[in-house]
Amino acid sequence: MKSYLKHISVYLPDKNVTNDDITAMFPTWDSAKIFEKVGIKNRHIAGSSEGVADMAVAAIKNLQIETNIDLSQIDYFLLCTQSPDYQIPTTACIVQHRVGLRDSCGAIDINQGCSGYIYGLSLASALVSSGAANNVLLVTADVYSKHIHNTDKGNISLFGDAATASLISSNGKYEIGKFSLGTDGSGYDKLIIKNSGLFSKSKDQDDPENYLFMDGAAVFDFTAKRIPQLIEENLELNRLVKDDIDLFVFHQANTFMLNFLRNRIKIAKNKFLINMENYGNTVSSSIPLAFQDSFDGESKNVMMVGFGVGLSWGAVILFKK
Amino acid sequence: MEMQDFIEKFASQLESQDIEVNAETNYVKSEFWDSLTAMVVKVMIDDEFGIDIPVEKLNGFNSIGSLFNYLEENKK
């Protein structure tokens, strides 16, 4: 059985942080050049008491408004997040209750970052294709902003908060093709919050190990090496060539990296989606958020490519019906 | 690889095509050098020489020429 991506809804928190706001926070930082290179002007930031469950609920409510869906039709709910409201219990269970999914609906969190939408789609697609589920709700939601130290001007500039809600079903606009997924755990410490789990050491609030650390050069290197290969593999798996793809939707990390990859892989500018200047890097929401404006467009074959924390990567091709 | 080829490859990594560089250029102290430029040059070096040069080391040379000499001596 085939599976289809039926709809994408988004939620962006109200608070907006502009480049001027950041410059005011770090007055001695020569930021103008960096802002231009990373291609971000604004990022939405969750409110102080706004969490992942709140944002997931808001994205699902938007999905409901936009599609008129009867939420009791959802039989499986996947919440992709790395900044859940709780480790225990599953944040997806909290959301189930708040939006009123039926109690015979499965609900779990999946912990994945910038490749998370691809992984989430791969699970949703498998559930529908196998007949195990009819209507899968895939939500991405992260509040990385709450895990970045207030002196970390680099990461403050790059990351934004957002949530998306996607519906995957046995009918819909885009047939979901075959997935290529990959992992390299030797790079686990290139994007990490050291004190985010079992081995957390510090009681000192200000310890940098309580906050997000990103080795930008290592992550850049990793994408330069892995992504061209990933695209070749996924094209072959889906029996297509590069020219058959009408639109590439990469994880929207920053425009510098995106343009570098576009050139390296030799993709035409008009086939390469960059839609992040008002959002920043929204982790697993970045692909659906960027693609949402093009969802009703004319692209027949859309390749989605996610990569990042883990280290982890994945790609899939969507075929417009 | 010849020095001139390397200089051309180095220059082609820079954001602007108008930037003039030569073997004596102290790239680390140049206007065009920042953490992002260092990343693309690092990738180019890995592509061309098979050397995964740490950014700190890349920032330790005082000219493109001395960087080139190091790479030629240590290439895989």
Side-chain angles (χ1 to χ4, degrees):
Chain A
M1 207 190 310
K2 299 204 210 285
S3 63
Y4 298 84
L5 176 60
K6 218 167 160 166
H7 192 85
I8 297 172
S9 294
V10 312
Y11 166 73
L12 294 160
D14 289 336
K15 181 169 164 199
N16 190 37
V17 173
T18 66
N19 289 346
D20 286 345
D21 293 332
I22 297 176
T23 306
M25 287 181 226
F26 304 101
T28 59
W29 182 34
D30 180 17
S31 54
K33 208 169 48 136
I34 295 286
F35 284 143
E36 203 189 303
K37 280 192 164 181
V38 300
I40 305 167
K41 296 198 165 121
N42 300 291
R43 357 37 218 128
H44 295 260
I45 300 297
S48 55
S49 55
E50 185 172 22
V52 159
D54 299 320
M55 289 175 33
V57 166
I60 296 169
K61 291 235 159 99
N62 285 341
L63 182 78
Q64 214 174 359
I65 292 167
E66 288 161 29
T67 62
N68 240 351
I69 187 178
D70 172 4
L71 286 180
S72 69
Q73 308 239 315
I74 306 293
D75 46 8
Y76 216 110
F77 171 39
L78 299 167
L79 172 59
C80 180
T81 184
Q82 297 200 302
S83 51
D85 293 359
Y86 303 95
Q87 290 299 327
I88 299 175
T90 306
T91 305
C93 296
I94 299 173
V95 176
Q96 175 274 342
H97 172 67
R98 284 179 54 183
V99 301
L101 299 178
R102 69 193 205 219
D103 65 10
S104 57
C105 178
I108 52 167
D109 294 351
I110 59 174
N111 179 333
Q112 197 39 284
C114 308
S115 64
Y117 192 66
I118 311 299
Y119 276 83
L121 267 188
S122 75
L123 295 171
S125 170
L127 285 164
V128 169
S129 296
S130 68
N134 294 312
N135 294 293
V136 180
L137 174 61
L138 169 62
V139 170
T140 63
D142 263 302
V143 289
Y144 261 38
S145 66
K146 294 183 196 284
H147 294 282
I148 294 173
H149 198 277
N150 59 18
T151 61
D152 186 351
K153 51 190 190 292
N155 285 329
I156 287 175
S157 302
L158 289 171
F159 288 95
D161 300 334
T164 70
S166 298
L167 187 56
I168 294 97
S169 187
S170 49
N171 62 74
K173 182 148 185 195
Y174 293 92
E175 182 188 317
I176 301 172
K178 295 189 154 79
F179 291 84
S180 305
L181 303 173
T183 311
D184 180 4
S186 73
Y188 81 97
D189 57 353
K190 305 297 182 246
L191 267 147
I192 187 169
I193 297 175
K194 288 219 163 99
N195 289 340
S196 60
L198 191 58
F199 301 109
S200 172
K201 289 193 200 76
S202 186
K203 301 261 187 309
D204 167 19
Q205 171 74 349
D206 225 22
D207 186 342
E209 295 195 346
N210 291 338
Y211 298 91
L212 184 72
F213 165 77
M214 178 166 70
D215 180 347
V219 176
F220 187 90
D221 254 12
F222 142 71
T223 63
K225 291 194 173 81
R226 288 284 187 181
I227 302 314
Q229 200 185 323
L230 169 64
I231 296 200
E232 288 305 312
E233 279 165 12
N234 195 247
L235 283 169
E236 202 181 307
L237 193 60
N238 284 286
R239 301 183 206 261
L240 291 178
V241 296
K242 201 163 50 181
D243 285 346
D244 295 328
I245 304 297
D246 301 303
L247 189 67
F248 288 87
V249 186
F250 279 31
H251 162 61
Q252 310 278 294
N254 61 77
T255 58
F256 184 83
M257 180 190 274
L258 288 175
N259 284 320
F260 172 80
L261 288 172
R262 181 182 66 72
N263 280 319
R264 192 167 177 79
I265 299 164
K266 302 198 204 328
I267 297 171
K269 245 184 173 168
N270 63 355
K271 290 189 169 188
F272 192 82
L273 184 60
I274 297 187
N275 181 10
M276 65 173 301
E277 82 173 6
N278 290 318
Y279 312 129
N281 177 345
T282 55
V283 200
S284 58
S285 295
S286 92
I287 290 170
L289 177 55
F291 183 55
Q292 197 221 13
D293 290 339
S294 310
F295 192 91
D296 291 325
E298 292 316 306
S299 301
K300 288 207 165 57
N301 301 329
V302 179
M303 183 185 261
M304 292 184 165
V305 185
F307 45 85
V309 55
L311 299 168
S312 174
W313 56 93
V316 66
I317 298 177
L318 306 179
F319 299 89
K320 187 157 86 113
K321 271 181 68 185
Chain B
M1 187 190 302
E2 300 295 327
M3 170 82 78
Q4 195 47 43
D5 297 324
F6 180 70
I7 293 170
E8 279 164 21
K9 285 198 197 294
F10 189 102
S12 70
Q13 306 309 315
L14 306 179
E15 286 250 297
S16 164
Q17 294 312 304
D18 301 324
I19 298 173
E20 299 250 341
V21 292
N22 55 51
E24 286 74 46
T25 304
N26 187 337
Y27 57 90
V28 179
K29 294 209 169 12
S30 297
E31 185 65 35
F32 58 73
W33 194 253
D34 59 29
S35 56
L36 296 176
T37 309
M39 287 184 212
V40 295
V41 169
K42 182 181 188 305
V43 170
M44 181 274 285
I45 287 171
D46 203 343
D47 285 347
E48 299 295 336
F49 294 87
I51 297 172
D52 185 2
I53 187 170
V55 172
E56 308 78 57
K57 194 168 186 71
L58 181 57
N59 284 333
F61 294 94
N62 57 18
S63 69
I64 296 181
S66 57
L67 170 63
F68 173 71
N69 290 331
Y70 168 83
L71 295 172
E72 274 289 304
E73 274 163 38
N74 291 280
K75 68 182 174 198
K76 301 273 148 73

